[in-house]
Amino acid sequence: MAKKTKNTFEQDLFKAADKLRKNIDAAEYKHVVLGLIFLKYISESFTELHNKLEADEWSDAEDRDEYIAENTFFVPKLARWSHIHAQAKLPTIGQTIDEAMEAVEKENKELKNVLPQVYGKANLDKTALGELIDLISNTELQAENENSKDLFGRVYEYFLGEFANAEGKKGGQFYTPKAIVKLMVEMIEPYKGRIYDPASGSGGMFIMSEKFVTAHSGNIKDITVYGQESNQTTWKLSRMNLAIRNINSKFVAWNTEGSFLKDAHPDLKADFVIANPPFNQKEWGIDILQDDARWQYGTPPNGNANFGWMQHMLYHLSPRGVMATVLANGSLSSNTSGEGDIRKALVEAGLVECIVALPKQLFFNTGIPACIWYLRRGRTKTNEVLFIDASEMGYLKDRVHRDFSDSDDDTKKGNYHEDGLGDIQKITKTYHDWRKQTQNATSVIQSESEESQYQNIKGYCKSATLDDIRKHNHVLTPGRYVGIPDEEDDGIPFSTKMEALTTTLQQQMQEEEALNQEIKTQLANIGFRL
């Protein structure tokens, strides 16, 4: 039985695994660890079915087709975890794992060129590698009463986040913090249909969408994910991440050119688009894309791809689709190089539904404040936009990073609002209440019988009209619309407060005078004068 600590199971496991990292960079070590977790997962799934087939006298447990029929990866004998574990203490363990990865790829074409084969490298300590295999082997014993899919999916996801944190700015290139992804997914509710992420990173948007569907008693087969990633290493991580969650990733593509220059899904019209593209990307290829059909609301400037990403997503949005994208705050107010004209065109077309201002320090790769744009086609009422200012929400989860509180988090970190709502749930509820009131919409989260309780709250949210927005020259910074919150009256008269403050100030000045005199005295004792 594992020793109980105040940490979660994943925290203890990561801490133990990271201890074995020694002198290897986190960026390199993550492939070592995540590859092994994936191999353990597919081996567990294989063994479970293998045992069932062995018990059936009419089945052949070594028949690859039996596994294809059950949507389970076929794991050849030299890649099965029992074999790997038995070899863990041998100096050749690195080569053994590389051969295992190669064998798995050969037997499962969807994993071709996906699995890491880095275990035979000279800089990887083979004793530590053996200990890491022991650690992962014991994972099941430490997390009781949980099936392997959920367990390893959870571990993989947690480790991705921790490695992103360890890598700092580089980590943010492949991982969007879980709280932001959850907020976006809970608001757009990708319950059924095609989900697209043109900068899909490690696949976090798809994983959270699957969780949303499952949590609301939906069928995961009702969603199809489409993605594109230009970094092959990140794409490999996403393929494993999706496979471990049993999400079909055949439409998650990789090419070095990226979504702008080589669109992997040119004919796609998605019901949901959800993305966290690179912030303020420069020199992104507009010089050869000047007349591209995607720029329906204006040609984005070469110096900033924000509105290039947004229009790329809009181009792929179905006639009644909804999208959410994270962008730097500059997208809300910039008027340089035609960006203000594009933003105005988007607003006047009735596409912009909601803007959420986020706090600083939420991301691993940047500390600058960001926002989430929500755009929807086919809105019934297009003359109002909801502004939510969440810039003061969240809590510091470590020295440099903030996070949103989440009612679903058992640790209950951070601040909670009325009715016990976490930050994520408060923002989500505000949005769905507003939609229900203004758009005659029903949320998956809310039941039809629930009455809308939306109301403007000074300093937090405001349903602004198009005329309001025009008065602000189509600048969409939420603070302009929601205003400053009223300070609560504590009932203490002003004169009483001033009397207390001046008394305190007088005491502090007297103490200062005494301290200054003491300094003079001590300096005089050693022969110095002020």
Side-chain angles (χ1 to χ4, degrees), residues 244-256:
I244 220 166
R245 290 279 180 182
N246 209 22
I247 299 174
N248 190 334
S249 61
K250 67 178 179 180
F251 298 123
V252 179
W254 161 73
N255 61 53
T256 55

Side-chain angles (χ1 to χ4, degrees), residues 520 522-530:
K520 287 179 182 177
Q522 294 300 328
L523 285 173
N525 289 339
I526 56 175
F528 294 96
R529 283 180 171 274
L530 280 179

Side-chain angles (χ1 to χ4, degrees), residues 126-189:
K126 301 304 180 289
T127 302
L129 180 58
E131 292 174 16
L132 181 62
I133 292 169
D134 283 342
L135 184 69
I136 294 172
S137 298
N138 293 330
T139 298
E140 292 169 278
L141 302 176
Q142 295 179 54
E144 300 165 351
N145 303 320
E146 188 167 14
N147 67 50
S148 61
K149 176 191 167 187
D150 289 342
L151 169 62
F152 287 103
R154 200 154 55 86
V155 169
Y156 193 97
E157 183 183 4
Y158 181 80
F159 275 42
L160 262 180
E162 288 301 301
F163 279 122
N165 191 14
E167 288 184 48
K169 290 187 174 182
K170 288 184 178 177
Q173 294 174 6
F174 67 85
Y175 183 84
T176 303
K178 184 178 172 183
I180 299 171
V181 180
K182 183 170 183 175
L183 177 63
M184 296 167 79
V185 167
E186 295 275 335
M187 288 175 73
I188 70 168
E189 302 183 308

Side-chain angles (χ1 to χ4, degrees), residues 45-213:
S45 300
F46 171 86
T47 301
E48 187 179 332
L49 182 54
H50 189 272
N51 292 341
K52 286 182 184 175
L53 294 171
E54 276 196 326
D56 181 356
E57 62 177 312
W58 304 105
S59 298
D60 178 2
E62 295 298 328
D63 183 355
R64 186 172 167 277
D65 291 340
E66 295 276 10
Y67 297 87
I68 294 174
E70 294 294 327
N71 198 26
T72 299
F73 292 112
F74 180 78
V75 182
K77 289 183 180 178
L78 63 85
R80 293 173 195 172
W81 194 259
S82 55
H83 174 73
I84 301 290
H85 196 194
Q87 307 289 312
K89 297 297 186 288
L90 299 179
T92 54
I93 183 60
Q95 183 182 349
T96 299
I97 300 173
D98 283 341
E99 290 171 354
M101 295 292 188
E102 185 179 359
V104 170
E105 286 190 351
K106 280 184 179 175
E107 293 289 348
N108 303 276
K109 63 179 181 181
E110 59 270 49
L111 294 177
K112 187 179 179 183
N113 299 323
V114 168
L115 303 184
Q117 295 176 35
V118 295
Y119 300 90
K121 286 186 173 180
N123 67 336
L124 185 59
D125 184 283
K126 301 304 180 289
T127 302
L129 180 58
E131 292 174 16
L132 181 62
I133 292 169
D134 283 342
L135 184 69
I136 294 172
S137 298
N138 293 330
T139 298
E140 292 169 278
L141 302 176
Q142 295 179 54
E144 300 165 351
N145 303 320
E146 188 167 14
N147 67 50
S148 61
K149 176 191 167 187
D150 289 342
L151 169 62
F152 287 103
R154 200 154 55 86
V155 169
Y156 193 97
E157 183 183 4
Y158 181 80
F159 275 42
L160 262 180
E162 288 301 301
F163 279 122
N165 191 14
E167 288 184 48
K169 290 187 174 182
K170 288 184 178 177
Q173 294 174 6
F174 67 85
Y175 183 84
T176 303
K178 184 178 172 183
I180 299 171
V181 180
K182 183 170 183 175
L183 177 63
M184 296 167 79
V185 167
E186 295 275 335
M187 288 175 73
I188 70 168
E189 302 183 308
Y191 196 63
K192 290 181 181 177
R194 290 157 296 197
I195 303 170
Y196 175 49
D197 181 351
S200 51
S202 54
M205 302 295 181
F206 303 138
I207 300 296
M208 193 59 75
S209 298
E210 182 257 359
K211 287 182 182 177
F212 178 83
V213 172

